[in-house]
Amino acid sequence: MPDQHSTLRAQRRAETQRTLQAHAVRLFTERGYDATTVTDVAEAAGMSPMTVYRHFPTKEDLVLVDHNGQLVAERIAASPAAQPLVRRIGNALIDSAATLTGSGRGDAGTASRQFLLARLRLMISTPALRARHLDNHYALQQAIVDALGAGAGDAADPDTAFRAQAAAGACLAAMHTALMRWAEDDGRTELPGLIAKALAAAFGEDVVGTGPDA
């Protein structure tokens, strides 16, 4: 059954990527990003450097690649189109953060939070990663715009696309503020709550759906 084989391949690929990233983030944190080579990561994971490059074409990708854009886009696409743009985007960012940090999943959730926190610290402290992180930011913004149905296709209305881009950019700026506070707080505060708080400060609790009547 081709579909079953494809699913198994995808699962194996995802597991390999998780293993490689876990070793990479650990080594980068312990030894320093610049002092750790791709070969070091491969040896720690029991794989060849070629395998690492097959899954992560650049060293930076070992830290920066994630599935956040896909998670956010899926949640936006599933949200009611009649809702305000900021509410659709904001709730998707909060829900995705809950998934990525493993909220409510016990030890597995703690491990997810520590991994995400370590990645974030590396992005903040490493110049090469900070530069590439900006590219990821723009990619996430475009994924949000596309999920809202306001992409750059032939039928896209310029004004609609502009509003979607502005709303996405503003929401991501609020999320960035929450991420910085989360790192400063050493991950002690729940990230989804911090994102909700940042969005409410920027747009108002009723707008983003975090108020008591939402």
Side-chain angles (χ1 to χ4, degrees), residues 4-197:
Q4 183 177 2
H5 291 317
S6 297
T7 300
L8 289 174
R9 281 197 300 271
Q11 290 174 344
R12 286 196 294 268
R13 179 177 177 81
E15 181 59 34
T16 299
Q17 289 177 335
R18 284 193 294 268
T19 298
L20 288 169
Q21 280 195 301
H23 284 290
V25 169
R26 176 180 60 80
L27 291 175
F28 293 155
T29 300
E30 292 174 356
R31 304 179 185 178
Y33 178 81
D34 292 329
T36 305
T37 67
V38 171
T39 299
D40 293 333
V41 175
E43 290 177 352
M47 303 179 194
S48 69
M50 185 65 68
T51 298
V52 179
Y53 283 118
R54 189 161 59 245
H55 290 275
F56 300 98
T58 70
K59 182 179 174 181
E60 292 92 342
D61 288 336
L62 281 162
V63 178
L64 296 174
V65 168
D66 60 33
H67 300 289
N68 189 39
Q70 179 182 346
L71 289 172
V72 172
E74 288 173 353
R75 282 158 175 75
I76 290 174
S79 64
Q83 284 186 345
L85 291 177
V86 169
R87 177 172 291 190
R88 295 181 69 189
I89 298 168
N91 287 343
L93 294 175
I94 294 167
D95 290 346
S96 297
T99 298
L100 291 172
T101 57
S103 296
R105 295 205 328 248
D107 291 342
T110 299
S112 296
R113 285 192 296 276
Q114 291 303 314
F115 175 73
L116 186 61
L117 185 60
R119 286 181 62 231
L120 178 59
R121 285 170 173 159
L122 285 167
M123 293 177 201
I124 294 170
S125 63
T126 309
L129 294 176
R130 284 202 301 270
R132 278 286 309 277
H133 179 58
L134 185 59
D135 292 338
N136 279 18
H137 177 92
Y138 286 128
L140 177 55
Q141 181 175 353
Q142 189 56 50
I144 290 171
V145 171
D146 291 341
L148 291 168
D154 293 339
D157 175 65
D159 289 338
T160 299
F162 178 75
R163 287 193 294 271
Q165 290 164 354
C171 287
L172 289 178
M175 184 181 74
H176 178 77
T177 301
L179 286 169
M180 295 303 101
R181 171 61 65 87
W182 192 58
E184 292 170 1
D185 193 39
D186 198 28
R188 285 187 291 269
T189 307
E190 290 291 333
L191 181 58
L194 280 176
I195 294 175
K197 187 176 181 179

